[in-house]
Amino acid sequence: PSVQLREILDEKVLREIQKELQTAQWASKALYDEYSYEESELTPAARKVLASTEFIYLLQKITKTRVRKIKANFCSFAQGHYTLLLDKYHIRKQLYFEIEITAAWSSDWGGYTSFVEKEEILRINPIPNSLVLVESKAQRFVKYVTHQAEDRRIFICGTIK
């Protein structure tokens, strides 16, 4: 099961997160036969959103489960970034989420998140200011971002326990 909610963050909060990201410390994550992208710790405004009573209540209502722990960070995918689908990793059923921070994204640029069992079961195209929740044991990857990308895709990615 999956759900995508649009306009998830108040515009003022979204702008605050985007402003904080201008000074974020990004770390390159690259094991080229598996992935290449950048990662950053959550900003104070993003941590505040994920720890808020309203956000946790929303997650619990949608998933019908008690939220005990949220593990998350920022992921950034620019030209040439990707993750690969690897058979050597076995995924347990988990509740995965993304909150899209990018202001605009073209599907022509790649960079979408794909969930695969034997074939693709779900594709998450980046939609600004949206929350996606996916409960699955499927493997996932982020499609290669093409040289045509005019921006980088930034989103909060994480799991919920």
Side-chain angles (χ1 to χ4, degrees):
S2 66
V3 65
Q4 185 171 38
L5 303 174
R6 296 178 185 208
E7 306 297 324
I8 191 68
L9 300 174
D10 177 81
E11 281 299 317
K12 183 179 174 186
V13 172
L14 180 60
R15 283 193 305 274
E16 183 178 356
I17 291 171
Q18 290 168 333
K19 183 178 179 184
E20 289 176 344
L21 280 169
Q22 293 174 2
T23 58
Q25 300 295 312
W26 293 96
S28 178
K29 298 289 193 180
L31 187 55
Y32 295 107
D33 60 343
E34 295 184 17
Y35 52 82
S36 175
Y37 64 98
E38 293 181 333
E39 201 173 73
S40 179
E41 292 183 5
L42 294 177
T43 62
R47 278 195 303 274
K48 186 176 178 182
V49 166
L50 296 186
S52 71
T53 306
E54 296 86 357
F55 186 71
I56 292 170
Y57 179 78
L58 175 67
L59 293 177
Q60 291 180 159
K61 280 295 189 187
I62 292 171
T63 64
K64 296 183 172 87
T65 59
R66 185 168 181 264
V67 173
R68 296 184 310 273
K69 184 179 177 183
I70 298 175
K71 182 180 175 186
N73 59 317
F74 283 106
C75 291
S76 171
F77 287 80
Q79 290 181 4
H81 286 162
Y82 60 90
T83 62
L84 297 177
L85 190 66
L86 300 169
D87 291 333
K88 68 181 181 180
Y89 295 117
H90 300 286
I91 307 293
R92 289 191 204 123
K93 189 173 186 179
Q94 64 180 351
L95 187 55
Y96 173 80
F97 73 94
E98 291 182 1
I99 299 176
E100 193 63 46
I101 305 301
T102 309
W105 191 261
S106 169
S107 59
D108 295 338
W109 301 344
Y112 58 80
T113 305
S114 181
F115 288 80
V116 177
E117 285 181 355
K118 290 181 181 176
E119 58 187 46
E120 185 178 59
I121 60 169
L122 177 67
R123 180 179 293 182
I124 302 170
N125 287 307
I127 296 174
N129 195 11
S130 65
L131 165 70
V132 175
L133 290 167
V134 180
E135 185 176 23
S136 177
K137 62 179 181 175
Q139 292 182 306
R140 68 180 179 274
F141 68 92
V142 175
K143 178 73 173 167
Y144 179 85
V145 178
T146 72
H147 69 283
Q148 297 169 323
E150 297 172 7
D151 201 354
R152 62 182 180 161
R153 180 181 177 211
I154 299 175
F155 56 99
I156 299 172
C157 57
T159 54
I160 302 166
K161 294 183 180 185

